Amino acid sequence: MDSLTAAAARALASGDALAALRHVALREDPPALALRGVALAQLQDWPRARELLQRAARAFGPQEALAQARCVVADAEVALALRELGGSSRPLRAAAATLAARGDGTNALQAWLVLARREVLLGRLADARAALDQLDGQPLPAPLAAMAELTHAEVALRTLQVAAARAALQRAGEAAAHARIAALQGEVERAWHTLDTPAARCRRGGQWQALTLDGVAALWDADALVVDACRRGVHAGATGRSLARRPVLFALLRALAEAWPGDAGRDALIGRAFGMRHPDDTHRARLRVEIGRLRALVQPWARVDATAAGFVLLPAAAREVVVLAPPRDDAQDALLALLSDGAGWASSALALALGTSQRSVQRALAELEGAGRVRAVGQGRTQRWLAPPLTGFTTILLLPATLPID
């Protein structure tokens, strides 16, 4: 390593990207390209940074596998910042293995962290957990530890493990304070704010009340029959079933749950399930058919009995019936509630779950995307819609092992 390259690397290690650029700005050799790419990434010139890092990776070649792997990891983090999530994760996994085999444990752990964050953004929570498992029990620098705990918290919140999310955020806050990085501390504060923001409404005893994520988690643990209008399902204790692809049955179930402990009239049920204001005998016959299907579906948790006026929901084991709904009953909040599990949804699946047209869903998604409240991954038939991450995933961890070359 020559003196200018070493000086640029030291400047990057101290966080002075401009000084690093002054040392190598006019050079085109692979180490200089890599250093310039990292410096520009730290200055948030993402497109130019990616170009330089990819050029450096190609120029290093297989004979300099360690330097090449570091460039791959840095490029993957820049892609994460740009939300360019196409392509395979195999190169990043291979880079992590190369870094670990050649003794660069810090950057190997960072590669797994970048991979975990990428999987969260793609809605693949199980894969994110598997990547995070590679970090467990490993000594991490404070910035990496903070981001790892933020990612743990994100995964836990998506699956309503609120206690685990709180513990992870506590650890993230301690690591961010130790790192003395304002951006990381801000991410932790915003994640804490998410826990205290109303996430849903609950109808019990004939009254609606706002719930935070803690309240929603407590509701899942209660011995109640929960009709979940956020994710379109029914749950009782540890068991449940999704009705996201059965919009008519879910509409009937929700109407019966909202009328509980009383019954729901036949005409009202027809209006909720079929959208008919003036039902006739054909609609009543169809209602009987759908009620029969609903009886079979909820049989493990409740009965649906006929009354003089309509039908009544009778939960097993004297359970209370609770309806969980989005904070507001509009199309956008319903979409956001469905996306809150972190999984990717096709617009056709969202339309089916909501019982509306795909075109209406696409218009609502376009409005939400413009407001930054949803995001799309892929194109055409492979396009999937996801909620934005609960944490912003600050990109500040580029190549923490100081030097991108040997």
Side-chain angles (χ1 to χ4, degrees):
M1 180 186 301
D2 60 64
S3 60
L4 287 178
T5 302
R10 286 193 296 271
L12 279 179
S14 65
D16 193 346
L18 291 176
L21 285 175
R22 284 196 294 271
H23 290 301
V24 293
L26 301 179
R27 292 177 51 169
E28 295 291 321
D29 53 296
L33 290 174
L35 290 164
R36 286 166 58 195
V38 173
L40 288 174
Q42 292 182 355
L43 294 171
Q44 298 188 4
D45 186 355
W46 309 121
R48 180 63 174 156
R50 286 207 77 186
E51 178 189 344
L52 290 171
L53 288 166
Q54 290 171 356
R55 283 176 58 193
R58 290 193 298 269
F60 278 125
Q63 290 77 25
E64 298 173 279
L66 181 58
Q68 186 179 58
R70 288 171 174 166
C71 290
V72 169
V73 175
D75 178 57
E77 189 166 8
V78 175
L80 198 71
L82 288 168
R83 299 298 188 258
E84 293 180 358
L85 304 174
S88 170
S89 62
R90 284 194 295 271
L92 186 54
R93 293 177 184 274
T98 298
L99 291 166
R102 296 185 177 237
D104 188 355
T106 302
N107 275 320
L109 293 173
Q110 180 179 329
W112 285 112
L113 179 55
V114 171
L115 179 61
R117 294 157 68 198
R118 182 178 188 274
E119 300 296 0
V120 167
L121 289 174
L122 289 170
R124 300 197 287 246
L125 300 186
D127 292 337
R129 287 193 197 95
L132 287 171
D133 287 344
Q134 301 293 324
L135 307 177
D136 287 349
Q138 301 293 330
L140 297 174
L144 265 69
M147 285 307 307
E149 295 298 346
L150 278 170
T151 309
H152 274 295
E154 173 85 18
V155 173
L157 286 174
R158 292 295 186 189
T159 53
L160 285 180
Q161 299 173 26
V162 181
R166 284 188 179 278
L169 287 177
Q170 184 67 39
R171 295 190 297 269
E174 294 168 359
H178 182 68
R180 297 181 181 179
I181 297 174
L184 272 179
Q185 292 171 320
E187 292 290 357
V188 176
E189 290 174 5
R190 283 189 288 274
W192 277 116
H193 177 70
T194 299
L195 292 177
D196 299 326
T197 302
R201 293 176 299 141
C202 166
R203 181 181 175 89
R204 60 197 318 170
Q207 301 292 325
W208 288 99
Q209 64 185 81
L211 293 180
T212 62
L213 284 171
D214 281 308
V216 174
L219 189 62
W220 289 116
D221 293 335
D223 187 24
L225 180 67
V226 181
V227 177
D228 184 1
C230 294
R231 303 189 185 188
R232 297 300 199 270
V234 56
H235 300 268
T239 62
R241 181 165 184 174
S242 173
L243 294 177
R245 295 186 175 274
R246 308 291 293 274
V248 171
L249 296 187
F250 182 78
L252 289 172
L253 180 59
R254 180 175 177 178
L256 291 167
E258 290 180 357
W260 185 86
D263 56 359
R266 288 176 175 81
D267 287 356
L269 290 171
I270 290 171
R272 289 285 293 271
F274 311 139
M276 297 295 176
R277 295 184 180 180
H278 306 290
D280 56 27
D281 288 343
T282 60
H283 301 126
R284 295 184 183 92
R286 183 184 174 193
L287 175 64
R288 289 193 294 272
V289 171
E290 298 296 348
I291 287 291
R293 292 172 176 159
L294 182 61
R295 282 190 179 114
L297 189 144
V298 301
Q299 187 271 332
W301 310 289
R303 300 197 329 262
V304 180
D305 288 356
T307 66
F311 296 91
V312 64
L313 185 65
L314 299 173
R319 284 191 174 101
E320 178 187 15
V321 176
V322 179
V323 178
L324 187 67
R328 295 176 300 173
D329 244 344
D330 61 27
Q332 289 193 349
D333 267 27
L335 280 171
L336 291 171
L338 283 172
L339 296 172
S340 66
D341 62 357
W345 287 70
S347 59
S348 57
L350 290 168
L352 180 61
L354 296 174
T356 187
S357 71
Q358 187 172 351
R359 183 58 185 151
S360 297
V361 167
Q362 289 169 340
R363 283 195 297 267
L365 288 170
E367 293 174 5
L368 289 169
E369 185 180 28
R373 302 178 71 190
V374 301
R375 58 196 171 85
V377 175
Q379 295 181 341
R381 292 186 178 181
T382 65
Q383 187 177 62
R384 295 294 181 268
W385 292 90
L386 303 102
L390 300 175
T391 56
F393 288 157
T394 302
T395 303
I396 56 174
L397 306 176
L398 288 160
L399 297 175
T402 303
L403 303 180
I405 61 171
D406 292 326

